[in-house]
Amino acid sequence: MKPYNTDQTKKEEVREMFDNIAPKYDLLNHTLSGNIDRVWRRRVVGEVRRAKPGRILDVATGTGDLAIAMARRIRDVQVLAVDLSERMLAVARRKIEARGLDGRIVLDRGDAERLAVADASVDVATVAFGVRNFGDLGAGLRELARTIKPGGKVVILEFSRPRNRAFRALYEFYSYKILPRIGGLVSRDKRAYEYLPASVGEFPAPEEFMGMMARAGFRNCRARSQSFGIAQIYIGEK
């Protein structure tokens, strides 16, 4: 599915959507999640830190929250943070400079399916809430695998559908009925906040997604459920 259902490609529409909502993205992201997204990111950082990386590639970095968290909490690491949306990167740039991390994080506008990154050049690749927006999910996963050194790993944080029926019904009522109204009112782009939860429903189930990771070149793929299955942390080794 696409955010606006125009004649543009999904990739073009996703870039337009994030350009539109960039000024209010952080406010809505943290408020609508009750700040639980910060907890999930900290867990991603803990998983990444265990690999003792020197260089990290953060794809679909958005406003840079994960890149900033990794640069602050992992000693001497260098982060290359890539995103399609220039306006999201502009927000990230201001946050990075305000924290004095511009020497540790390099921002670049780029396409997840055609990364301007050398083969086997990073220790860890990360994506937080971005893989479901890839135009071609399989191609994006293969590109991540291409950039990671042998022995490195990928860590992906993404929303999923809770398995418990009662909890899933409550969660989906909030996602489909409440979130778009609030998100649309604040961001002035209701369709973006209709697309975002709907894209979770269309995303592969954890077992299927890990199969895609394996076909892209990752081994020992596993998933760690977060907050009753609202999100998953996926880990794969190269």
Side-chain angles (χ1 to χ4, degrees):
M1 66 176 301
K2 301 188 297 183
Y4 304 119
N5 293 317
T6 68
D7 291 334
Q8 297 182 100
T9 65
K10 178 178 179 178
K11 191 180 304 182
E12 291 167 336
E13 288 196 13
V14 164
R15 178 171 55 229
E16 179 183 344
M17 178 188 72
F18 282 113
D19 278 344
N20 289 342
I21 66 177
K24 300 295 184 180
Y25 181 80
D26 281 344
L27 171 65
L28 285 166
N29 199 34
H30 301 317
T31 302
L32 293 172
S33 72
N35 277 320
I36 192 67
D37 62 304
R38 297 181 191 271
V39 175
W40 299 337
R41 284 190 183 88
R42 283 200 296 270
R43 292 172 181 169
V44 169
V45 174
E47 184 63 44
V48 172
R49 187 164 47 196
R50 281 192 280 275
K52 298 180 180 179
R55 189 169 189 236
I56 298 171
L57 169 65
D58 186 41
V59 175
T61 196
T63 61
D65 277 353
L66 181 57
I68 289 168
M70 292 188 295
R72 293 178 73 175
R73 296 173 186 159
I74 303 175
R75 186 174 180 178
D76 298 328
V77 76
Q78 295 290 320
V79 183
L80 172 60
V82 178
D83 200 273
L84 269 177
S85 167
E86 183 53 50
R87 289 185 183 175
M88 293 286 275
L89 289 173
V91 175
R93 192 169 293 111
R94 290 194 293 271
K95 290 161 62 175
I96 289 165
E97 290 175 353
R99 291 163 176 78
L101 293 171
D102 40 317
R104 305 269 306 283
I105 303 172
V106 174
L107 294 173
D108 187 31
R109 183 178 174 191
D111 182 347
E113 296 161 37
R114 290 190 295 273
L115 294 165
V117 180
D119 294 356
S121 60
V122 302
D123 302 296
V124 177
T126 58
V127 189
F129 307 119
V131 289
R132 75 184 192 282
N133 298 317
F134 287 1
D136 183 328
L137 181 53
L141 290 173
R142 290 191 295 274
E143 202 47 358
L144 290 172
R146 178 186 66 77
T147 67
I148 300 171
K149 298 175 182 178
K153 66 182 178 181
V154 65
V155 184
I156 296 170
L157 172 61
E158 189 53 88
F159 286 112
S160 63
R161 298 181 71 211
R163 293 192 176 185
N164 180 277
R165 289 186 179 182
F167 183 69
R168 183 170 67 230
L170 180 64
Y171 171 71
E172 291 186 346
F173 175 79
Y174 172 77
S175 297
Y176 287 98
K177 301 297 183 182
I178 306 299
L179 187 150
R181 292 183 182 182
I182 299 172
L185 182 66
V186 175
S187 72
R188 299 184 179 181
D189 190 340
K190 185 179 179 182
R191 291 169 75 180
Y193 283 89
E194 291 172 338
Y195 161 79
L196 290 169
S199 66
V200 176
E202 290 202 350
F203 192 73
E207 295 79 5
E208 183 182 353
F209 182 65
M210 286 187 287
M212 296 183 71
M213 291 174 65
R215 289 191 292 277
F218 295 105
R219 57 186 178 82
N220 296 331
C221 299
R222 51 205 184 273
R224 292 169 50 194
S225 180
Q226 307 296 309
S227 304
F228 305 102
I230 292 176
Q232 302 284 337
I233 296 175
Y234 297 98
I235 303 155
E237 299 171 10
K238 179 68 182 295

